Amino acid sequence: MCSLALFPPPLPSGQTTLCESNNELLSGASTEDRLKQESSPLSLHFPRESLKLHSRTESSSKAAFLDHSETLWMRSAAAWRDGGFTGLLNEITNSHTEVPKWLSMSSGCILALLRWVSSFHGSLFPHLTLSSEDMIAEFSQVLNWSDCVVRAFAWHPHTDKFAVALLDDSIKIYNPKSATTPTLKHRLQRSVAAVQWKPLCASALAVACQNCLLVWHVDPCSLSTRPSSGCAQVLSHPGHSPVTSIAWSPSGSLLLSASPMDSTMMVWDVAAESCVPLQRVGGGGVSFLSWSPDGSHVLASTPSALFRVWETRMWTCERWPCVKGRCQSGCWSPDGSRLLFTVQGEMVIYALTFTDAPGVPTSTSQGPQAAAVVADLSETTFSTPDGDIVVGGEIQSLVWDPRGERLAVLLKGDPQAADRPAIIAVFKTRANPIFELLPCGFVQGEAGAEPRLMQFHPNFQHGALLTVCWSNGRITHVPFYFVSAGVPHFGLSGSPLLPHPQQRPADFVNQSLFTEFLS
Amino acid sequence: MVSTEQSCWFIRKVICWRAVASIAWAVLLLPPITLVFVIISKFSFLHPIQTISECLYLLTSASGIFSFILLCGVILIVGFLHLEYYTVIPTIACSKIALLGQLLHPRHFINSLVHCFMGVIVAWCCAVTMGLRYETLGYPCTESDGHPQMCLNEYHLILLLAGAFVGFSHSLLGVIYNMNYVSFHTVQQYKYLRFKRCLPLVVKCSATQALYSVRNYIVMYLFLGKCPFFMNKMLVAQPIHLLTALNNFFQIDYSVHPLDSIAGLLDLSLLYHLWSSATFLLLTWNITLLLFRIFVTEVYSFPVQSSFTEDSHQCLPKVLTEKQPMILKFLALQDLALLSQHSPSRRCEVFSLSQPGGHPHNWNAISKECLSLLTDLTQRLVAYHDTVATNGRAKSLSSGKDLMSPRPVFLMKTPASVFARSVAGTPQSPLTSLFTPDLDSPFASPALRRLTAPVDQCSPWYGTVQSPHIMRRAPKLWSTSTGEVEFQKSNISFSTHRSSNIQVLSNEVLPEASSQALFADSQAHIWALEGLSYLVQASFSEDQFGVVQTTLPSILSCMLVLQEAVDRHFKLPHASSKPVRSTSSMGDSTYKTLRFALRATLKTAIYRITTTFGDHLNAVQISAEHRKRLQQFLEYKE
């Protein structure tokens, strides 16, 4: 089992990680690095000051208008429309001067009863009492989401373009091959928790928002920099908000969405704008979704100490109760046979292996009986020229590169303590003869910048490319140059046993790839 | 004849058994539903114990058991009607007059009458179950001269008539909302889970539909409530002994509050009982429908090849080419789409060669059938587009004269169609439209009518489908509009309708209905696209003999041509407008969005092939125009 003690020590401050080459991580001084990064078209910087934030929320605009009295009927109808049954009861209780006494009394009693029941429900699932912003921050894969300039990031699965969701609720799409940078804004696009491109499609981008799910259709050939909100499909279902996690099926046909408030997971047929709710009792919601690259399984974690692994042929699920906390993050190996996940409150990475043939429900086949610990990330002290640094602790998110060779782990650190920074630890993974994680190194940015969000490029030719969004609004790319171990690779597009068309290891050996940098 | 006989094996061996299983489950579910109904209808807060004892007494009494048997019979009939009337391709009325024609079609009319009759039976069972004042048709009363007699129990009568009304309106709504349409789901689930998921929805639908039906019924009874009494009086004049005897048997007790008044109908307990029995009726029928849909759309796994020649007609390549029962073709295509995605071993059989000879018969048959389906859709779209284009020109030429003269003669010769009128820009005034030759009317010449229906002619099911839905697609019936307005969901105000009745009937085309009709069977095309693209994708690594390579150029060009046609279609007005989603009805509205699903699937299918093969596609021989198009896909610019 791998532990952090085997890692090379972190870089001294001022040094940043540039790339992996010849099996070691190369670093450089930040000034030199900055020059290089700015010459690259895909490296971006969003200073916090450049964003126009909302000066006030929409609900506070009510105070700007004069109070104007409507009849009780009108107010009740409005309350019913805005707040549903509880809103209506609230309105009746509050206007006790106009309604008969028995009515206001009884509605007050019903309201109190409802609150008591919901508080009981809330004591079972404490996350239900959070406000929706707090809930997104709690369950997002992004570290410290509410304070983050870049709130979500998504590479296109097939080309070199990506979408960035910013703090001001806009989404920008960058494409190195095109001069236009479309900016997507929509009335309903608030508190973006996740974005994801539709596989096998050039244009569709799904956005998880506070109250709904948006699917943008951004024409790649269009020269428009502000696509109209008519290009977005709005998918919403009562009670299904805030949406914190979305996942497209690798075949591009279905979209999954999950909300910690809603115990059902929605399977959307986006073209028809219809959904199939998949409900199971227990858990109190669904906080994180991850679809395996071969399309056969979906990990759905809940806010309580329980997660489920769905099988996508007949949509049945396995329950996996955790001992300590909820499943915080998870990722799948490229062939969909292995799931790595972390549990809140524990400092280890677990692995589950699925060996069943596709199409056979996992409940009947011999699934794994228990998860195995594959890495221990408990706190380890490294002594650097700047003093001791403690690395390790709880894990915010896990990502695995599409070839299954590098695993990046975002460690939370402690924001209060200066010597416990959030840091990205990268492991090499090996599947044969036994599955194991080997240390690779830490990925660090400029001084004072902590990693918030990371993602691997889905089809980087020369190894793996890790994109990291930093707390200072910078987005950098760290390439890992390596020759793949020659195991058959699996296409992103669904069917297993599909060799990568471009991947020919024999040719790579002769090329001078090891000194090549990202262009 | 041979082919129909052979394909009957599927109806006989699979569909019938599925229908029987669904009916059996519906009958099994009847006792709990009835129990709930009995408790709901008899429950009184003041005497809970008494309620339970009454319920127990009722369930063991002879009349209770008899009415339960009757209910089972009704469920059986409803189930068999579903089996008889279901369709996998919805009938879409392109204009309101076509809808009216559907409603009055003899086949549907018989269906409505049977439903009406069954409604009466269910209502009688409800009356017996509820007991109290509803139980019998007559009750003893004394006439003014002190002579003891039987009087007509109007409460019983109102319940029976309510049953008839609800049954009738249920079947009419079924026609309007295509309730006999069986849609297939993109998400596969086990039958139990699917039923569990849909059950709350069905209960909600039944309750709301019952509420609307009862409201309409009450309004109708208020105005027509005298009729039973008139009938009663008329019977006196009838010389038939039986009727006279009946009439003499039941006298109306006029001292009791008459029910056909506002005060008489505003009886809360009566309304509650009417609503609960209507809900019970609709719930049992809707559950039967739901179970039928779930069972009949279950995936059926066809063997790809068989080692015995006598089973060869049951194999997937043979079954796919069958034209006759549509359900067979649809299930075969669904199975093809699933096997191409999930089952490597069955894919291997598709790519295999025949044992003596070494021909890829399986792949050839499958790809040929899928390609012919897609080509057919392309032709249909092109024909439709041409029709619309020519008609648009003719319209613009004549638009100036429209207001003055009834219609230029040359216009009658243009291939105007029901579709075309939805896109014609100039709205016609009610006056001229009266004189416009209505192509739906029986007065239009057959030649003209043939021109108007290019879609039906080039469809694969043209002339081969014996079920009347193709014929019903263009019904030719004149009638007044009274019925039609009534059966709308009645939230449209009556006054606006009355003023524009003529206009509505003669020239208004339901928006986007033509587009829906064009893509009505597109589920088949979606599966064909999925199946082909997944098989081609898998062939990259699994096809040992290269059987797919030979057809790759034709598959690519077929998809690209279809893509072009679909793109052109979506540029038409109304084609890309989203339909209003109605969630509160049992009718399945999947068919309304099939064109969007087809467009998305088509694009994904082409991308699936281009992503898998990448630059190797440059070696495939296709025309320069298609290569250019393909390049767009390779660069992810579509």
Side-chain angles (χ1 to χ4, degrees):
Chain A
M1 185 170 60
C2 190
S3 83
L4 286 178
L6 302 171
F7 271 66
L11 301 171
S13 91
Q15 294 278 77
T16 55
T17 313
L18 293 182
C19 67
E20 184 206 304
S21 173
N22 284 335
N23 235 348
E24 57 182 323
L25 286 178
L26 302 181
S27 61
S30 19
T31 47
E32 181 196 337
D33 163 58
R34 186 171 293 167
L35 274 175
K36 197 165 283 148
Q37 293 285 4
E38 272 161 15
S39 64
S40 156
L42 289 180
S43 294
L44 299 165
H45 187 207
F46 301 101
R48 188 175 295 264
E49 306 77 47
S50 69
L51 300 176
K52 268 185 252 165
L53 300 180
H54 300 294
S55 49
R56 58 165 169 257
T57 58
E58 205 160 280
S59 58
S60 68
S61 64
K62 215 173 186 176
F65 295 96
L66 281 178
D67 190 30
H68 127 111
S69 58
E70 284 173 321
T71 60
L72 179 68
W73 285 110
M74 294 294 285
R75 273 185 287 137
S76 303
W80 170 260
R81 200 184 55 231
D82 297 341
F85 186 60
T86 43
L88 179 67
L89 287 177
N90 231 336
E91 184 62 45
I92 294 174
T93 320
N94 289 340
S95 52
H96 47 84
T97 49
E98 295 167 65
V99 295
K101 195 167 165 54
W102 61 268
L103 190 60
S104 68
M105 282 287 283
S106 59
S107 65
C109 288
I110 295 170
L111 203 59
L113 193 72
L114 279 179
R115 281 190 186 137
W116 181 74
V117 170
S118 74
S119 75
F120 181 67
H121 192 211
S123 69
L124 273 180
F125 301 110
H127 69 276
L128 294 178
T129 53
L130 294 173
S131 76
S132 83
E133 290 254 336
D134 291 342
M135 194 176 300
I136 297 174
E138 173 75 23
F139 296 108
S140 169
Q141 292 291 297
V142 184
L143 182 60
N144 200 355
W145 176 87
S146 42
D147 180 45
C148 215
V149 180
V150 177
R151 288 190 147 173
F153 178 93
W155 277 106
H156 190 275
H158 308 291
T159 55
D160 281 336
K161 67 178 172 185
F162 58 82
V164 181
L166 298 173
L167 186 58
D168 61 352
D169 293 337
S170 66
I171 292 178
K172 287 187 188 323
I173 293 169
Y174 290 90
N175 188 349
K177 287 182 191 151
S178 124
T180 52
T181 310
T183 306
L184 312 178
K185 285 187 181 179
H186 195 280
R187 190 173 50 85
L188 294 169
Q189 187 173 290
R190 278 187 280 143
S191 308
V192 175
V195 289
Q196 198 178 12
W197 291 92
K198 177 180 175 179
L200 298 178
C201 181
S203 58
L205 175 73
V207 182
C209 308
Q210 195 171 29
N211 294 319
C212 64
L213 202 64
L214 290 176
V215 180
W216 285 93
H217 294 270
V218 191
D219 185 0
C221 298
S222 161
L223 295 175
S224 152
T225 52
R226 273 295 300 272
S228 78
S229 53
C231 299
Q233 279 176 285
V234 181
L235 307 175
S236 65
H237 194 268
H240 194 67
S241 69
V243 181
T244 57
S245 189
I246 47 176
W248 283 99
S249 75
S251 62
S253 51
L254 300 171
L255 174 67
L256 280 181
S257 72
S259 164
M261 288 291 277
D262 191 1
S263 60
T264 56
M265 179 170 91
M266 299 290 166
V267 186
W268 293 93
D269 182 355
V270 174
E273 297 190 4
S274 63
C275 70
V276 176
L278 295 175
Q279 186 158 30
R280 289 292 184 277
V281 179
V286 181
S287 55
F288 173 71
L289 293 172
S290 171
W291 207 310
S292 73
D294 69 336
S296 60
H297 292 93
V298 175
L299 164 75
S301 68
T302 67
S304 48
L306 167 77
F307 69 93
R308 296 191 178 88
V309 178
W310 291 83
E311 158 281 316
T312 58
R313 178 92 194 265
M314 294 305 280
W315 291 100
T316 52
C317 67
E318 281 180 1
R319 277 168 61 100
W320 282 91
C322 308
V323 180
K324 244 184 162 169
R326 69 183 150 90
C327 171
Q328 165 67 29
S329 181
C331 58
W332 291 90
S333 69
D335 59 352
S337 66
R338 193 165 279 122
L339 168 69
L340 298 185
F341 67 93
T342 64
V343 172
Q344 199 186 35
E346 291 189 49
M347 300 173 190
V348 292
I349 301 176
Y350 289 101
L352 277 178
T353 314
F354 296 87
T355 50
D356 53 86
V360 181
T362 43
S363 52
T364 57
S365 63
Q366 280 297 314
Q369 297 304 311
V373 178
V374 290
D376 176 16
L377 298 178
S378 51
E379 295 184 346
T380 311
T381 311
F382 290 96
S383 58
T384 62
D386 306 329
D388 285 0
I389 289 183
V390 180
V391 175
E394 281 194 43
I395 296 159
Q396 177 70 24
S397 67
L398 290 176
V399 282
W400 207 337
D401 87 304
R403 295 179 191 221
E405 302 255 338
R406 294 289 179 277
L407 174 77
V409 180
L410 176 53
L411 296 161
K412 269 181 189 169
D414 187 355
Q416 264 73 48
D419 63 337
R420 292 162 182 245
I423 201 166
I424 296 174
V426 180
F427 293 89
K428 291 170 193 163
T429 52
R430 194 163 69 178
N432 283 319
I434 53 159
F435 179 75
E436 58 183 333
L437 298 179
L438 304 168
C440 181
F442 296 113
V443 172
Q444 284 166 281
E446 296 168 42
E450 65 175 13
R452 288 288 165 82
L453 170 61
M454 55 182 187
Q455 194 177 29
F456 274 108
H457 189 292
N459 45 9
F460 185 62
Q461 305 269 322
H462 315 301
L465 177 70
L466 182 69
T467 303
V468 186
C469 306
W470 303 91
S471 58
N472 57 1
R474 202 174 275 284
I475 296 175
T476 62
H477 309 280
V478 182
F480 295 80
Y481 297 110
F482 57 86
V483 176
S484 194
V487 289
H489 283 292
F490 301 93
L492 276 167
S493 39
S495 167
L497 299 170
L498 195 74
H500 208 274
Q502 284 87 20
Q503 193 248 322
R504 293 155 72 189
D507 289 356
F508 285 160
V509 177
N510 300 328
Q511 288 172 12
S512 56
L513 275 177
F514 296 115
T515 52
E516 203 175 278
F517 280 88
L518 168 70
S519 56
Chain B
M1 206 53 229
V2 178
S3 79
T4 45
E5 259 175 33
Q6 276 181 348
S7 60
C8 271
W9 70 269
F10 192 71
I11 299 289
R12 219 174 41 235
K13 285 188 186 163
V14 182
I15 297 296
C16 278
W17 282 111
R18 287 182 173 190
V20 166
S22 76
I23 294 169
W25 275 107
V27 169
L28 281 179
L29 283 174
L30 194 59
I33 299 172
T34 317
L35 189 68
V36 171
F37 168 70
V38 168
I39 291 171
I40 283 178
S41 63
K42 281 193 172 295
F43 192 78
S44 91
F45 275 105
L46 301 175
H47 313 284
I49 309 283
Q50 195 190 343
T51 311
I52 293 169
S53 66
E54 268 179 25
C55 290
L56 283 178
Y57 170 72
L58 181 82
L59 291 178
T60 48
S61 71
S63 66
I65 289 169
F66 178 66
S67 64
F68 183 75
I69 291 169
L70 270 185
L71 284 176
C72 291
V74 168
I75 293 292
L76 284 178
I77 296 172
V78 169
F80 282 114
L81 282 179
H82 288 318
L83 179 61
E84 183 59 32
Y85 279 83
Y86 82 98
T87 169
V88 287
I89 304 173
T91 317
I92 294 158
C94 290
S95 63
K96 295 207 168 178
I97 196 161
L99 187 62
L100 186 65
Q102 274 183 27
L103 291 177
L104 296 179
H105 192 281
R107 196 175 141 88
H108 278 288
F109 198 68
I110 291 170
N111 187 18
S112 302
L113 282 184
V114 174
H115 272 97
C116 197
F117 179 65
M118 288 190 304
V120 174
I121 294 177
V122 176
W124 184 83
C125 296
C126 289
V128 169
T129 315
M130 286 189 291
L132 307 173
R133 54 185 179 176
Y134 303 100
E135 197 161 1
T136 52
L137 189 58
Y139 64 95
C141 59
T142 46
E143 241 179 318
S144 47
D145 54 358
H147 187 62
Q149 238 185 346
M150 291 299 279
C151 288
L152 180 72
N153 180 3
E154 207 182 345
Y155 288 104
H156 187 82
L157 187 69
I158 201 171
L159 203 65
L160 293 191
L161 289 177
F165 182 86
V166 173
F168 193 69
S169 69
H170 173 78
S171 89
L172 287 181
L173 283 175
V175 176
I176 291 171
Y177 293 116
N178 268 316
M179 246 183 251
N180 60 344
Y181 166 56
V182 173
S183 74
F184 292 82
H185 292 270
T186 44
V187 176
Q188 302 296 325
Q189 273 184 295
Y190 287 111
K191 292 192 290 273
Y192 164 70
L193 292 171
R194 183 164 284 169
F195 178 74
K196 201 178 83 176
R197 179 167 64 79
C198 294
L199 191 61
L201 225 67
V202 169
V203 173
K204 201 182 121 196
C205 281
S206 309
T208 44
Q209 198 189 332
L211 204 63
Y212 283 118
S213 295
V214 167
R215 183 196 64 182
N216 296 348
Y217 172 69
I218 293 290
V219 171
M220 204 185 77
Y221 195 84
L222 188 65
F223 291 112
L224 305 176
K226 279 277 183 279
C227 285
F229 300 90
F230 287 140
M231 266 166 57
N232 206 295
K233 288 213 177 96
M234 269 158 55
L235 289 181
V236 182
Q238 295 292 327
I240 304 162
H241 293 296
L242 187 69
L243 289 179
T244 325
L246 192 76
N247 181 49
N248 291 339
F249 190 65
F250 297 121
Q251 289 296 317
I252 287 156
D253 186 1
Y254 288 101
S255 61
V256 186
H257 207 50
L259 273 181
D260 57 333
S261 64
I262 293 176
L265 283 172
L266 277 182
D267 176 356
L268 271 184
S269 125
L270 174 71
L271 291 182
Y272 173 72
H273 281 126
L274 280 179
W275 174 76
S276 59
S277 10
T279 308
F280 172 69
L281 182 150
L282 289 173
L283 185 65
T284 50
W285 293 4
N286 283 341
I287 280 181
T288 317
L289 175 63
L290 174 70
L291 283 167
F292 180 78
R293 280 183 187 165
I294 289 174
F295 271 86
V296 95
T297 57
E298 200 195 351
V299 177
Y300 186 85
S301 180
F302 296 90
V304 177
Q305 56 186 9
S306 163
S307 32
F308 304 104
T309 42
E310 59 264 29
D311 292 343
S312 68
H313 68 280
Q314 299 186 4
C315 290
L316 191 62
K318 272 273 156 26
V319 161
L320 272 180
T321 51
E322 303 278 353
K323 296 257 187 300
Q324 250 320 285
M326 278 324 286
I327 183 82
L328 175 61
K329 195 177 183 81
F330 270 61
L331 283 172
L333 281 165
Q334 185 186 33
D335 187 42
L336 174 69
L338 288 175
L339 89 85
S340 64
Q341 270 182 72
H342 297 295
S343 169
S345 59
R346 294 178 72 201
R347 275 200 301 257
C348 191
E349 286 180 55
V350 172
F351 297 138
S352 68
L353 300 181
S354 65
Q355 207 20 274
H359 295 286
H361 288 306
N362 293 337
W363 165 252
N364 283 348
I366 288 172
S367 65
K368 195 171 149 231
E369 181 55 30
C370 291
L371 286 180
S372 81
L373 271 175
L374 298 180
T375 318
D376 162 67
L377 179 66
T378 313
Q379 282 170 0
R380 230 193 288 177
L381 288 174
V382 169
Y384 173 73
H385 200 274
D386 289 350
T387 320
V388 169
T390 48
N391 193 256
R393 267 202 301 284
K395 272 267 158 82
S396 62
L397 272 175
S398 67
S399 59
K401 296 176 188 171
D402 248 13
L403 294 172
M404 306 301 292
S405 65
R407 212 68 191 293
V409 186
F410 71 87
L411 197 66
M412 287 180 70
K413 288 176 184 159
T414 59
S417 70
V418 278
F419 306 125
R421 269 181 267 150
S422 65
V423 288
T426 50
Q428 297 164 339
S429 69
L431 189 71
T432 52
S433 66
L434 270 180
F435 298 99
T436 316
D438 195 320
L439 293 161
D440 291 338
S441 76
F443 308 111
S445 73
L448 190 61
R449 225 181 293 154
R450 210 176 308 128
L451 272 174
T452 65
V455 175
D456 285 353
Q457 288 202 0
C458 57
S459 81
W461 348 108
Y462 181 74
T464 56
V465 185
Q466 103 287 26
S467 80
H469 62 258
I470 291 289
M471 295 184 292
R472 272 183 277 119
R473 212 175 264 181
K476 333 282 189 284
L477 285 163
W478 276 109
S479 175
T480 48
S481 66
T482 44
E484 195 256 331
V485 178
E486 208 176 271
F487 306 132
Q488 288 298 319
K489 257 219 138 182
S490 72
N491 29 19
I492 312 157
S493 76
F494 272 38
S495 59
T496 48
H497 259 260
R498 225 174 279 143
S499 65
S500 59
N501 265 347
I502 297 168
Q503 186 192 4
V504 162
L505 273 182
S506 51
N507 75 349
E508 193 193 314
V509 172
L510 301 173
E512 57 170 287
S514 56
S515 209
Q516 282 174 18
L518 209 52
F519 288 94
D521 57 346
S522 278
Q523 188 63 61
H525 304 113
I526 290 172
W527 283 325
L529 281 168
E530 282 186 351
L532 271 185
S533 65
Y534 277 113
L535 283 175
V536 169
Q537 184 191 35
S539 78
F540 193 83
S541 55
E542 292 176 16
D543 179 14
Q544 296 170 0
F545 308 108
V547 295
V548 174
Q549 277 180 31
T550 51
T551 34
L552 194 53
S554 53
I555 291 175
L556 279 171
S557 49
C558 179
M559 284 185 179
L560 289 171
V561 171
L562 180 60
Q563 160 82 12
E564 205 174 319
V566 168
D567 274 356
R568 264 174 77 197
H569 180 82
F570 272 91
K571 294 210 172 77
L572 297 174
H574 285 307
S576 51
S577 60
K578 297 267 174 191
V580 187
R581 268 190 296 166
S582 61
T583 49
S584 60
S585 127
M586 268 303 283
D588 202 324
S589 56
T590 318
Y591 63 90
K592 290 182 181 166
T593 50
L594 273 180
R595 59 182 187 280
F596 301 105
L598 179 90
R599 182 172 61 164
T601 313
L602 177 59
K603 222 169 227 185
T604 309
I606 300 177
Y607 269 121
R608 189 168 291 132
I609 295 175
T610 56
T611 314
T612 313
F613 283 81
D615 291 332
H616 299 299
L617 283 183
N618 292 329
V620 177
Q621 289 190 334
I622 44 172
S623 70
E625 193 192 338
H626 287 162
R627 188 171 301 284
K628 223 171 105 190
R629 196 84 205 240
L630 210 56
Q631 196 57 37
Q632 295 281 89
F633 277 95
L634 281 169
E635 289 168 7
Y636 292 94
K637 281 187 175 164
E638 270 298 318

